[in-house]
Amino acid sequence: MALKFHQQIISDLLEDSNGGLVILSSGLSLAKLIASLLILHSPSQGTLLLLLSPASQSLKSRILHQLSSLSSPPPAEITSDLPANHRHSLYSSGNPFFITPRILIVDLLTQRIPVSSLAGIFILNAHSLSETSTEAFIVRIVKTLNASAYVRAFSDRPQAMVSGFAKTERTMRALFLRRLHLWPRFQLDVSQELEREPPEVVDIRVSMSSYMVGIQKAIIEVMDACLKEMRKTNKVDVDDLTVESGLFKSFDEIVRRQLDPIWHTLGKRTKQLVSDLKTLRKLLDYLVRYDAVSFLKFLDTLRVAESYRSVWLFAESSYKIFEFAKKRVYRLIKASEVKSKEHVKNTSGKKRKLKGDNASVEAVGGATATSGDTGVVIEEVLEEAPKWKVLREILLETQEEREKQTLSEEDNSDNYGMVLVACKDERSCMQLEDCITNNPHKVMREEWEMYLLSKIEIRNVQTPQKKKQKTPKGFGILDGVVPVTTIQSSEGSSVCRQEHEALMAAASSIRKLGKTTASGDNNNPEAQVDKASSTKGKAKKESSSLRRPIRSCSKKKKNSEPEIVTGSENEEKVSEASTSGPREASDAHPDGAKKLPPVHFYALESDQPILDVLKPSVIIVYHPDMSFVREIEVYKAENPLKNLKVYFLFYDESTEVQKFEASIRRENGAFESLIRQKSSMMIPVDQVYISNLNDSVYISDEDGLCMGSNSSTDYPASSTQNSLTRKAGGRKEIEKETQVIVDMREFMSSLPNVLHQKGMKIIPVTLEVGDYILSPSICVERKSIQDLFQSFTSGRLFHQVEMMSRYYRIPVLLIEFSQDKSFSFQSASDISDDVTPYNIISKLSLLVLHFPRLRILWSRSLHATAEIFTTLKSNQDEPDESRAIRVGVPSEEGIIENDIRAENYNTSAVEFLRRLPGVSDANYRSIMEKCKSLSELASLPVEELAEIMGGQKVAKSLREFLDAKYPTLL
């Protein structure tokens, strides 16, 4: 059953035959809205195309799930593997299809689509569009040939729609839309429906440990210090440089958007500050997401990877981050104190010595120092995450409530429903599952043992380098000694050295005692932490349906000290487990072990419709996310009779709460900005539909075409608007149609769209040589900056230039920069006078020296490239499509006369000819036309050579070389 505000959105879209742009709040079931529109589509209306992008694949899976749940046939996907005739029949069938923009634009340009049979187009990612995107190219062509086709664009990211100048207005203009539909969470219809039957909510604030508070405070201080340094540059808008804005990923985009145009003029310190702010934000996220050992390991990785380059490592408060992170995991004590405290080892539940007997303690002391009195020993702390304990209590409380309801013989099927725990990523899910099914302290010990073993692996890697010092092969860096001495110098003080040796001794003891057998099943925490993507941590403070009904138990649970059985007493396991044995603790009682309800752990980053699949009765939001909270509201509104209880776990007074509230404010602010823009939005007259007597009349330009098209029959791009009257009395000149042959793979970029806007006819074909053919003699290989570096590294560019030089008279390498970035490879201070194999300027110089006929074009943007192409095509013949396709393609029939296939050229002979004395780029082609072979060339007299080569001097030098005697030893 569709929600009422979904029905209202659908009716608004169906009223306008031109379509519209719909912007929803995040999490308000955009997939269900699109699925409902697909169900309403009838084949008699025509074919409906849904444009897919890599970012919209998760939305596609949700749409397919919604259609399958409603027993509706899912749309098929049109791929490039299908033959052209089959695709043509699909386009004419009247059914909805998923298709990528690249395939659709090629089929449109090659006229494989009956455009008149198209009912409309769905664009699923309107927030990622621009005037030069392929989707805008598609809409312009479709509107040119079929003005009655509608375009419906959707987005659930309002923040992205207000980034940049007039982003929404420019997007609507590019898609030929005039209706904007805004549906924020605070819209009256939405709020009333979602708050009619709200779920029961328990808001639990968990206190962070003192060390976590200290780390968070230190990170914020360091972040604030970095932001103050950024403000000193006077190159960034200071209004955006706040700690609150620095908590979000979009902060990097905001800063880079301002700095990219002047990036080459910035100093290394400013560039490093941008990277440091990203690192600090990641530290804040990992602090509340992962366990203490994984956080410490990530800090160790940062210390080694960034070292002296980082600015934040030298901030005043940075040492506190590392110090407190260590104290959460272990602490150092003197070896002399171990024996006096040895009796505490068997009774302590929170801290325990690594070694179990006196012999092992003596081994540790001997490993750390020569004297036991001066040595240090590692004592485990292994601080557990405070949320772990609260999560176990919630599960126990849920099970107790279900047992009470069962005893009272209440008929409630929700008592046996699944308990859903929502986390940010897969690693958190696996670790929480391990904590629930096992002892949390055991989980921490396994992480600790893997951390120590990683220290041994690093030492083993460094040991072979240390042995090389006995027989040095060079000096300094040439001998490979620097990496070893650098690591040892990082432990410069005796305390650091003793700490390092104590860790090595503890790791060696673990390996000897064979305590790591169980840790082999766990994943590598370092790899998982590095891969963990910080998804949006979002709150839901404005959702009154989830904030108002907080019960008194939320006050009771504000502490992190619950009243239920602690984790050190019994071993609880999930009810699905086959066994439930006692814990390692000596006071465990298997008979008194309490049962837990069935639990499912869900990773928010997977973005799956988990609520509709599992239909849980209890949801524990371990890592609160704004989008998921809205999904819970929609789920409850669709199932008003279901008893749903939601627990929110927050770290009290943490950046997690701050990020929550800030995400809500950011979205509300984005919608308020969109509402203001909508009231004053300017829509071009050639895109307006005027309703007159229930008939829609399309107002176009004087040629009857949409904006961006000309009067040519084959998908033109622009027309002469008003000819000057002084030109032959206002008579329009007959324009010569220009065309460009474009490689199929180039439609991943936006340049074909810009060329089409310039009035050029685009012919998409598969080219073996080059990317763009401007004329029979001009071939262009286009490279973006990233692609240029990759092509030089792989050697692909050398081969591409060689092929262009072989088949075309004017080979061109186009280096295209991004319009919003600096028009420079590197800063002037980084350019050296020497030729180095790793410098991009040196590589380009060597390329030009090797291919003297190569022309390099530097383009600031896509529009500048279009202007360059227009200039190059002036006074040039139009390219031949059939000839361009055959260039470089091997022939199966053998050598064909007057053909240009690869077999017709003896490349070795040509290269040999070009290296002969007197032969140059100006005359080697005329020599090839007059002489069929090198032997014929060698037999020609000087007079004929002078006529062919264009000079007596060059002919004489070649003749003397051919007639020279070969020196012998006889």
Side-chain angles (χ1 to χ4, degrees), residues 775-842:
S775 71
S777 59
I778 301 178
C779 176
V780 179
E781 181 69 31
R782 174 187 165 273
K783 295 291 181 185
S784 63
I785 301 304
Q786 183 180 6
D787 192 20
L788 180 68
F789 280 84
Q790 294 176 352
S791 298
F792 268 124
T793 303
S794 64
R796 187 174 71 251
L797 182 59
F798 183 89
H799 174 71
Q800 291 170 337
V801 174
E802 183 183 23
M803 296 292 288
M804 287 195 300
S805 302
R806 180 184 303 173
Y807 295 110
Y808 291 94
R809 186 168 58 87
I810 306 177
V812 177
L813 174 62
L814 171 67
I815 301 176
E816 189 175 84
F817 290 76
S818 179
Q819 185 172 4
D820 55 350
K821 295 188 178 181
S822 60
F823 189 38
S824 173
F825 274 132
Q826 51 194 169
S827 59
S829 59
D830 296 335
I831 301 177
S832 61
D833 297 332
D834 300 330
V835 176
T836 58
Y838 302 106
N839 188 282
I840 186 65
I841 302 297
S842 300

Side-chain angles (χ1 to χ4, degrees), residues 470-656:
K470 298 179 181 179
T471 56
K473 298 180 181 179
F475 298 95
I477 297 177
L478 297 178
D479 188 36
V481 180
V482 172
V484 176
T485 56
T486 301
I487 292 174
Q488 290 185 355
S489 64
S490 65
E491 309 159 3
S493 65
S494 60
V495 176
C496 293
R497 185 165 55 253
Q498 288 179 358
E499 179 181 354
H500 178 72
E501 292 174 354
L503 288 171
M504 291 296 101
S508 301
S509 301
I510 287 178
R511 175 173 287 185
K512 290 177 183 178
L513 295 175
K515 293 184 178 181
T516 60
T517 54
S519 65
D521 296 333
N522 294 337
N523 292 331
N524 187 351
E526 179 183 11
Q528 293 286 347
V529 170
D530 289 342
K531 288 191 297 182
S533 59
S534 57
T535 55
K536 302 176 186 175
K538 301 172 183 174
K540 193 207 162 277
K541 197 162 189 176
E542 96 287 5
S543 300
S544 57
S545 64
L546 290 180
R547 291 293 184 191
R548 289 176 190 161
I550 296 178
R551 304 176 306 151
S552 59
C553 66
S554 65
K555 297 180 181 178
K556 178 184 72 175
K557 306 233 175 161
K558 279 230 170 184
N559 296 333
S560 61
E561 299 295 337
E563 301 174 358
I564 310 179
V565 180
T566 60
S568 61
E569 294 180 4
N570 290 309
E571 168 69 16
E572 298 100 359
K573 292 197 175 184
V574 179
S575 60
E576 303 152 337
S578 57
T579 59
S580 59
R583 288 188 45 186
E584 294 179 355
S586 58
D587 57 345
H589 300 286
D591 296 335
K594 293 188 178 180
K595 199 167 128 184
L596 295 178
V599 183
H600 181 85
F601 293 89
Y602 167 63
L604 295 172
E605 64 181 9
S606 63
D607 197 20
Q608 298 296 323
I610 192 69
L611 297 177
D612 294 330
V613 175
L614 288 183
K615 299 190 179 300
S617 58
V618 176
I619 301 175
I620 303 174
V621 187
Y622 191 85
H623 292 139
D625 179 89
M626 181 179 65
S627 178
F628 185 67
V629 169
R630 303 266 174 76
E631 292 179 19
I632 295 175
E633 290 185 298
V634 173
Y635 168 70
K636 184 62 173 71
E638 291 176 342
N639 302 274
L641 301 179
K642 186 176 184 64
N643 294 328
L644 180 62
K645 192 172 184 179
V646 182
Y647 293 89
F648 286 96
L649 298 185
F650 294 91
Y651 278 119
D652 197 19
E653 297 181 357
S654 67
T655 54
E656 186 180 42

Side-chain angles (χ1 to χ4, degrees), residues 100 127 139 149 248 253 276 281 329 401 412 429 437 450 510 576 672 755 823 838:
T100 60
H127 50 270
V139 172
F248 297 91
E253 301 174 3
D276 288 348
R281 186 187 66 246
V329 180
E401 290 178 354
N412 191 352
C429 290
T437 56
M450 286 190 291
I510 287 178
E576 303 152 337
E672 291 171 2
L755 294 176
F823 189 38
Y838 302 106

Side-chain angles (χ1 to χ4, degrees), residues 640-707:
L641 301 179
K642 186 176 184 64
N643 294 328
L644 180 62
K645 192 172 184 179
V646 182
Y647 293 89
F648 286 96
L649 298 185
F650 294 91
Y651 278 119
D652 197 19
E653 297 181 357
S654 67
T655 54
E656 186 180 42
V657 178
Q658 187 178 0
K659 196 172 180 180
F660 252 13
E661 299 170 354
S663 62
I664 299 301
R665 288 195 299 269
R666 282 158 54 88
E667 187 184 85
N668 291 344
F671 271 112
E672 291 171 2
S673 176
L674 288 171
I675 292 171
R676 289 193 298 270
Q677 289 182 31
K678 184 179 180 180
S679 63
S680 60
M681 192 171 291
M682 303 292 292
I683 303 297
V685 68
D686 59 355
Q687 291 182 261
V688 176
Y689 279 80
I690 300 178
S691 179
N692 184 13
L693 299 178
N694 298 325
D695 292 330
S696 295
V697 181
Y698 188 77
I699 307 299
S700 64
D701 59 14
E702 58 181 323
D703 294 321
L705 299 173
C706 299
M707 182 183 67

